[in-house]
Amino acid sequence: MPALTISTVYLISGANRGIGFGLTEVLAKRPGTVVFAGARDPTNATALNALAEKYPHSVHVLKLTSGSTEDNKSAVVEIEKTVGQLDVVIANAATGGYYGSLLTTPGEEFLNHFNINTLGPVTLFQAVHSLLIKSPSGAPHFCVISSAVGSTELGLSFGAAAYSASKAAVNHLTKIIHTEHEADGIIATAIHPGWVATDMGNFGASSLGMTEAPVTLAESVAGILSHIDGATRSEKSGKFWNFARTSGNFWDINESVLPW
């Protein structure tokens, strides 16, 4: 890799599509930024590979399977070998392709959602911790892309019991990271990205008779990064952030910080 001044190194899981790809695309354009973009099957991540070709110094595609200890450890080894630092980790990979009430959802759907949406970020954190705490920024950040349906106080599910339960669990674990790693200076946040017009978001919208989800990818990415850029532990860590305050529709939430 040619010598260049590196300001911030990111690792993003689930970067081959949706929010993960949107974040990678925006960050790739920032001077001095390096993004390690995780995908379960890099050979089929056409758009992501094209982005890496366009920004060869900024984007590096990695094999990263949610919940795979081997993939996560291998990714960290590659990051350390390539740039020697890691500043921000965005645990974005998730599944949400099943809609059903608690009464009707099969047990295997709960297991699938928990394995990817809950244990996935845990496995990722366990792998990146040793490199993250060496961040020269002094403000290492582990961010989980969650969902407002994971707020137990708000009690939203929209008929997606398995998905909402898995997000509630990962929210709790994010708070544990904040508590257990105060001495490391780690910033641990969960962020609700909005109801975004991605494949997953549009699938949910169609189940309610809507043409597509109401939040654009650009709006979501900008909102997410507003809570990551310049974050400090005292200001941001241990909180469940809303990508933006919105109001007027039944799906909107007019709060900056969501209740766990």
mmCIF file of all heavy atoms in Angstrom, residues 67-98:
data_model
loop_
_atom_site.group_PDB
_atom_site.id
_atom_site.type_symbol
_atom_site.label_atom_id
_atom_site.label_comp_id
_atom_site.label_asym_id
_atom_site.label_seq_id
_atom_site.Cartn_x
_atom_site.Cartn_y
_atom_site.Cartn_z
ATOM 1 N N GLY A 67 -20.855 -13.713 13.096
ATOM 2 C CA GLY A 67 -20.841 -14.824 14.034
ATOM 3 C C GLY A 67 -19.708 -15.802 13.846
ATOM 4 O O GLY A 67 -19.531 -16.705 14.667
ATOM 5 N N SER A 68 -18.918 -15.654 12.776
ATOM 6 C CA SER A 68 -17.804 -16.566 12.513
ATOM 7 C C SER A 68 -16.545 -16.077 13.221
ATOM 8 O O SER A 68 -15.964 -15.056 12.845
ATOM 9 C CB SER A 68 -17.528 -16.673 11.010
ATOM 10 O OG SER A 68 -16.301 -17.329 10.772
ATOM 11 N N THR A 69 -16.109 -16.808 14.232
ATOM 12 C CA THR A 69 -14.901 -16.432 14.960
ATOM 13 C C THR A 69 -13.690 -16.417 14.036
ATOM 14 O O THR A 69 -12.862 -15.503 14.086
ATOM 15 C CB THR A 69 -14.659 -17.410 16.121
ATOM 16 O OG1 THR A 69 -15.791 -17.362 17.012
ATOM 17 C CG2 THR A 69 -13.400 -17.053 16.887
ATOM 18 N N GLU A 70 -13.600 -17.411 13.171
ATOM 19 C CA GLU A 70 -12.465 -17.510 12.258
ATOM 20 C C GLU A 70 -12.394 -16.319 11.307
ATOM 21 O O GLU A 70 -11.335 -15.710 11.135
ATOM 22 C CB GLU A 70 -12.564 -18.807 11.456
ATOM 23 C CG GLU A 70 -11.397 -19.025 10.496
ATOM 24 C CD GLU A 70 -11.508 -20.321 9.713
ATOM 25 O OE1 GLU A 70 -12.431 -21.110 9.996
ATOM 26 O OE2 GLU A 70 -10.665 -20.536 8.816
ATOM 27 N N ASP A 71 -13.520 -15.979 10.671
ATOM 28 C CA ASP A 71 -13.546 -14.845 9.741
ATOM 29 C C ASP A 71 -13.203 -13.535 10.445
ATOM 30 O O ASP A 71 -12.471 -12.692 9.913
ATOM 31 C CB ASP A 71 -14.933 -14.713 9.101
ATOM 32 C CG ASP A 71 -15.099 -15.631 7.912
ATOM 33 O OD1 ASP A 71 -14.198 -16.437 7.640
ATOM 34 O OD2 ASP A 71 -16.165 -15.544 7.257
ATOM 35 N N ASN A 72 -13.754 -13.348 11.635
ATOM 36 C CA ASN A 72 -13.520 -12.104 12.359
ATOM 37 C C ASN A 72 -12.062 -11.960 12.771
ATOM 38 O O ASN A 72 -11.475 -10.877 12.634
ATOM 39 C CB ASN A 72 -14.441 -12.030 13.580
ATOM 40 C CG ASN A 72 -15.861 -11.619 13.236
ATOM 41 O OD1 ASN A 72 -16.217 -10.450 13.322
ATOM 42 N ND2 ASN A 72 -16.685 -12.566 12.842
ATOM 43 N N LYS A 73 -11.472 -13.034 13.252
ATOM 44 C CA LYS A 73 -10.057 -12.978 13.635
ATOM 45 C C LYS A 73 -9.159 -12.751 12.419
ATOM 46 O O LYS A 73 -8.197 -11.980 12.479
ATOM 47 C CB LYS A 73 -9.669 -14.264 14.353
ATOM 48 C CG LYS A 73 -10.210 -14.370 15.777
ATOM 49 C CD LYS A 73 -9.709 -15.633 16.463
ATOM 50 C CE LYS A 73 -10.165 -15.686 17.916
ATOM 51 N NZ LYS A 73 -9.692 -16.924 18.598
ATOM 52 N N SER A 74 -9.482 -13.412 11.313
ATOM 53 C CA SER A 74 -8.686 -13.252 10.093
ATOM 54 C C SER A 74 -8.759 -11.818 9.581
ATOM 55 O O SER A 74 -7.770 -11.271 9.090
ATOM 56 C CB SER A 74 -9.171 -14.215 9.009
ATOM 57 O OG SER A 74 -8.959 -15.560 9.396
ATOM 58 N N ALA A 75 -9.941 -11.221 9.690
ATOM 59 C CA ALA A 75 -10.115 -9.837 9.254
ATOM 60 C C ALA A 75 -9.230 -8.888 10.063
ATOM 61 O O ALA A 75 -8.590 -7.989 9.512
ATOM 62 C CB ALA A 75 -11.580 -9.420 9.376
ATOM 63 N N VAL A 76 -9.179 -9.101 11.365
ATOM 64 C CA VAL A 76 -8.364 -8.245 12.229
ATOM 65 C C VAL A 76 -6.878 -8.405 11.915
ATOM 66 O O VAL A 76 -6.121 -7.426 11.898
ATOM 67 C CB VAL A 76 -8.660 -8.547 13.710
ATOM 68 C CG1 VAL A 76 -7.657 -7.834 14.623
ATOM 69 C CG2 VAL A 76 -10.072 -8.110 14.059
ATOM 70 N N VAL A 77 -6.448 -9.629 11.637
ATOM 71 C CA VAL A 77 -5.057 -9.866 11.250
ATOM 72 C C VAL A 77 -4.721 -9.095 9.974
ATOM 73 O O VAL A 77 -3.657 -8.469 9.867
ATOM 74 C CB VAL A 77 -4.796 -11.377 11.047
ATOM 75 C CG1 VAL A 77 -3.443 -11.610 10.379
ATOM 76 C CG2 VAL A 77 -4.869 -12.115 12.374
ATOM 77 N N GLU A 78 -5.629 -9.108 9.019
ATOM 78 C CA GLU A 78 -5.417 -8.396 7.753
ATOM 79 C C GLU A 78 -5.343 -6.885 7.971
ATOM 80 O O GLU A 78 -4.515 -6.194 7.376
ATOM 81 C CB GLU A 78 -6.548 -8.732 6.782
ATOM 82 C CG GLU A 78 -6.393 -8.128 5.393
ATOM 83 C CD GLU A 78 -5.200 -8.674 4.640
ATOM 84 O OE1 GLU A 78 -4.737 -9.789 4.955
ATOM 85 O OE2 GLU A 78 -4.711 -7.977 3.730
ATOM 86 N N ILE A 79 -6.213 -6.378 8.837
ATOM 87 C CA ILE A 79 -6.209 -4.941 9.130
ATOM 88 C C ILE A 79 -4.890 -4.526 9.785
ATOM 89 O O ILE A 79 -4.272 -3.531 9.407
ATOM 90 C CB ILE A 79 -7.399 -4.575 10.048
ATOM 91 C CG1 ILE A 79 -8.721 -4.778 9.307
ATOM 92 C CG2 ILE A 79 -7.276 -3.132 10.536
ATOM 93 C CD1 ILE A 79 -9.935 -4.749 10.207
ATOM 94 N N GLU A 80 -4.458 -5.319 10.752
ATOM 95 C CA GLU A 80 -3.214 -4.988 11.455
ATOM 96 C C GLU A 80 -2.026 -5.033 10.508
ATOM 97 O O GLU A 80 -1.133 -4.181 10.561
ATOM 98 C CB GLU A 80 -3.010 -5.956 12.619
ATOM 99 C CG GLU A 80 -1.857 -5.565 13.523
ATOM 100 C CD GLU A 80 -1.944 -6.204 14.888
ATOM 101 O OE1 GLU A 80 -2.572 -7.275 15.006
ATOM 102 O OE2 GLU A 80 -1.376 -5.637 15.845
ATOM 103 N N LYS A 81 -2.030 -6.001 9.611
ATOM 104 C CA LYS A 81 -0.931 -6.139 8.653
ATOM 105 C C LYS A 81 -0.926 -5.000 7.632
ATOM 106 O O LYS A 81 0.130 -4.525 7.211
ATOM 107 C CB LYS A 81 -1.065 -7.483 7.938
ATOM 108 C CG LYS A 81 0.037 -7.764 6.927
ATOM 109 C CD LYS A 81 -0.102 -9.174 6.357
ATOM 110 C CE LYS A 81 -1.372 -9.307 5.527
ATOM 111 N NZ LYS A 81 -1.482 -10.649 4.881
ATOM 112 N N THR A 82 -2.115 -4.531 7.248
ATOM 113 C CA THR A 82 -2.225 -3.530 6.182
ATOM 114 C C THR A 82 -1.978 -2.113 6.669
ATOM 115 O O THR A 82 -1.223 -1.351 6.052
ATOM 116 C CB THR A 82 -3.608 -3.613 5.514
ATOM 117 O OG1 THR A 82 -3.840 -4.945 5.066
ATOM 118 C CG2 THR A 82 -3.705 -2.658 4.326
ATOM 119 N N VAL A 83 -2.625 -1.730 7.778
ATOM 120 C CA VAL A 83 -2.497 -0.342 8.247
ATOM 121 C C VAL A 83 -2.066 -0.217 9.701
ATOM 122 O O VAL A 83 -1.685 0.857 10.151
ATOM 123 C CB VAL A 83 -3.815 0.449 8.049
ATOM 124 C CG1 VAL A 83 -4.137 0.596 6.576
ATOM 125 C CG2 VAL A 83 -4.971 -0.203 8.792
ATOM 126 N N GLY A 84 -2.188 -1.306 10.467
ATOM 127 C CA GLY A 84 -1.705 -1.296 11.844
ATOM 128 C C GLY A 84 -2.556 -0.549 12.839
ATOM 129 O O GLY A 84 -2.124 -0.311 13.976
ATOM 130 N N GLN A 85 -3.769 -0.163 12.472
ATOM 131 C CA GLN A 85 -4.630 0.515 13.429
ATOM 132 C C GLN A 85 -6.099 0.281 13.080
ATOM 133 O O GLN A 85 -6.439 -0.082 11.945
ATOM 134 C CB GLN A 85 -4.367 2.021 13.471
ATOM 135 C CG GLN A 85 -4.818 2.782 12.230
ATOM 136 C CD GLN A 85 -4.507 4.262 12.304
ATOM 137 O OE1 GLN A 85 -3.376 4.672 12.065
ATOM 138 N NE2 GLN A 85 -5.510 5.081 12.619
ATOM 139 N N LEU A 86 -6.940 0.492 14.075
ATOM 140 C CA LEU A 86 -8.385 0.390 13.886
ATOM 141 C C LEU A 86 -9.034 1.361 14.850
ATOM 142 O O LEU A 86 -8.784 1.327 16.052
ATOM 143 C CB LEU A 86 -8.870 -1.039 14.158
ATOM 144 C CG LEU A 86 -10.347 -1.349 13.908
ATOM 145 C CD1 LEU A 86 -10.718 -1.047 12.458
ATOM 146 C CD2 LEU A 86 -10.645 -2.819 14.221
ATOM 147 N N ASP A 87 -9.860 2.264 14.311
ATOM 148 C CA ASP A 87 -10.415 3.340 15.121
ATOM 149 C C ASP A 87 -11.921 3.230 15.355
ATOM 150 O O ASP A 87 -12.413 3.531 16.438
ATOM 151 C CB ASP A 87 -10.113 4.693 14.465
ATOM 152 C CG ASP A 87 -8.636 4.866 14.182
ATOM 153 O OD1 ASP A 87 -7.850 4.846 15.147
ATOM 154 O OD2 ASP A 87 -8.259 4.993 13.002
ATOM 155 N N VAL A 88 -12.645 2.832 14.324
ATOM 156 C CA VAL A 88 -14.109 2.752 14.415
ATOM 157 C C VAL A 88 -14.577 1.428 13.824
ATOM 158 O O VAL A 88 -14.200 1.076 12.703
ATOM 159 C CB VAL A 88 -14.796 3.912 13.659
ATOM 160 C CG1 VAL A 88 -16.317 3.778 13.758
ATOM 161 C CG2 VAL A 88 -14.343 5.254 14.202
ATOM 162 N N VAL A 89 -15.396 0.717 14.579
ATOM 163 C CA VAL A 89 -16.008 -0.519 14.091
ATOM 164 C C VAL A 89 -17.514 -0.325 14.066
ATOM 165 O O VAL A 89 -18.114 0.074 15.072
ATOM 166 C CB VAL A 89 -15.651 -1.719 14.989
ATOM 167 C CG1 VAL A 89 -16.352 -2.985 14.499
ATOM 168 C CG2 VAL A 89 -14.143 -1.929 15.014
ATOM 169 N N ILE A 90 -18.113 -0.584 12.911
ATOM 170 C CA ILE A 90 -19.563 -0.455 12.766
ATOM 171 C C ILE A 90 -20.143 -1.840 12.505
ATOM 172 O O ILE A 90 -19.969 -2.408 11.428
ATOM 173 C CB ILE A 90 -19.937 0.515 11.634
ATOM 174 C CG1 ILE A 90 -19.292 1.885 11.863
ATOM 175 C CG2 ILE A 90 -21.458 0.656 11.537
ATOM 176 C CD1 ILE A 90 -19.518 2.884 10.740
ATOM 177 N N ALA A 91 -20.802 -2.385 13.520
ATOM 178 C CA ALA A 91 -21.424 -3.705 13.416
ATOM 179 C C ALA A 91 -22.788 -3.533 12.756
ATOM 180 O O ALA A 91 -23.787 -3.249 13.407
ATOM 181 C CB ALA A 91 -21.557 -4.338 14.797
ATOM 182 N N ASN A 92 -22.793 -3.697 11.453
ATOM 183 C CA ASN A 92 -23.989 -3.413 10.665
ATOM 184 C C ASN A 92 -24.687 -4.668 10.143
ATOM 185 O O ASN A 92 -25.902 -4.655 9.926
ATOM 186 C CB ASN A 92 -23.597 -2.514 9.482
ATOM 187 C CG ASN A 92 -24.676 -2.438 8.424
ATOM 188 O OD1 ASN A 92 -25.722 -1.812 8.626
ATOM 189 N ND2 ASN A 92 -24.459 -3.115 7.306
ATOM 190 N N ALA A 93 -23.967 -5.751 9.942
ATOM 191 C CA ALA A 93 -24.552 -6.957 9.353
ATOM 192 C C ALA A 93 -25.742 -7.436 10.174
ATOM 193 O O ALA A 93 -25.678 -7.525 11.405
ATOM 194 C CB ALA A 93 -23.499 -8.063 9.266
ATOM 195 N N ALA A 94 -26.835 -7.736 9.487
ATOM 196 C CA ALA A 94 -28.052 -8.157 10.187
ATOM 197 C C ALA A 94 -28.973 -8.901 9.237
ATOM 198 O O ALA A 94 -28.816 -8.839 8.017
ATOM 199 C CB ALA A 94 -28.775 -6.943 10.779
ATOM 200 N N THR A 95 -29.927 -9.591 9.825
ATOM 201 C CA THR A 95 -30.974 -10.233 9.047
ATOM 202 C C THR A 95 -32.321 -9.804 9.603
ATOM 203 O O THR A 95 -32.438 -9.482 10.788
ATOM 204 C CB THR A 95 -30.843 -11.772 9.090
ATOM 205 O OG1 THR A 95 -31.795 -12.353 8.192
ATOM 206 C CG2 THR A 95 -31.112 -12.323 10.497
ATOM 207 N N GLY A 96 -33.327 -9.778 8.748
ATOM 208 C CA GLY A 96 -34.659 -9.387 9.199
ATOM 209 C C GLY A 96 -35.718 -9.813 8.204
ATOM 210 O O GLY A 96 -36.688 -9.108 7.993
ATOM 211 N N GLY A 97 -35.508 -10.968 7.619
ATOM 212 C CA GLY A 97 -36.382 -11.405 6.532
ATOM 213 C C GLY A 97 -37.581 -12.224 6.934
ATOM 214 O O GLY A 97 -38.227 -12.836 6.077
ATOM 215 N N TYR A 98 -37.889 -12.265 8.238
ATOM 216 C CA TYR A 98 -39.061 -13.040 8.668
ATOM 217 C C TYR A 98 -39.957 -12.154 9.522
ATOM 218 O O TYR A 98 -39.489 -11.513 10.464
ATOM 219 C CB TYR A 98 -38.644 -14.277 9.473
ATOM 220 C CG TYR A 98 -39.826 -15.140 9.863
ATOM 221 C CD1 TYR A 98 -40.268 -16.156 9.025
ATOM 222 C CD2 TYR A 98 -40.514 -14.909 11.048
ATOM 223 C CE1 TYR A 98 -41.375 -16.936 9.365
ATOM 224 C CE2 TYR A 98 -41.612 -15.678 11.399
ATOM 225 C CZ TYR A 98 -42.033 -16.687 10.557
ATOM 226 O OH TYR A 98 -43.138 -17.447 10.891
#
